[in-house]
Amino acid sequence: MHRLHPQLEDAFTVVNWDQRGAGLSPESNPARLTLHQLVEDAHALSRWLMARFGQRKIYLLGHSFGTVIGLIWLPQSTTAKECLLMQRIND
């Protein structure tokens, strides 16, 4: 697994999420690859992570297209979040 931010992993539980249809998360139905669905997936993932790890707040780090999802997710979310961090990846 590629470690994007090893320093964060020393202090936090880091979850790498491959969005639906990307990386290790294939999507067999292209009609479900919508921005709305990806934002809904982010809502579901944040709720699951909070329950799984017994946390009231989470940090979200989005990079590349994840920043778009995060910017839409953040104001809609009823999940208690500490902050949204965004990162642009340079090639």
Side-chain angles (χ1 to χ4, degrees):
M1 176 191 296
H2 174 68
R3 294 180 67 193
L4 187 60
H5 293 289
Q7 304 90 337
L8 291 177
E9 293 177 22
D10 292 339
F12 298 95
T13 298
V14 175
V15 176
N16 293 296
W17 172 40
D18 285 336
Q19 297 127 1
R20 184 184 298 256
L24 297 175
S25 297
E27 174 57 63
S28 59
N29 182 355
R32 294 185 62 172
L33 289 175
T34 66
L35 183 54
H36 175 77
Q37 182 60 60
L38 294 172
V39 172
E40 288 300 313
D41 291 347
H43 285 294
L45 178 62
S46 65
R47 288 189 300 268
W48 184 85
L49 289 171
M50 290 173 60
R52 167 66 175 84
F53 294 104
Q55 297 297 313
R56 292 185 15 213
K57 296 181 180 180
I58 62 171
Y59 294 86
L60 175 67
L61 169 66
H63 64 91
S64 192
F65 187 66
T67 61
V68 174
I69 296 169
L71 285 172
I72 296 169
W73 170 81
L74 186 65
Q76 295 177 357
S77 178
T78 58
T79 302
K81 55 255 167 211
E82 192 66 30
C83 66
L84 168 66
L85 305 168
M86 295 182 293
Q87 173 182 354
R88 186 175 140 244
I89 303 296
N90 293 326
D91 293 329

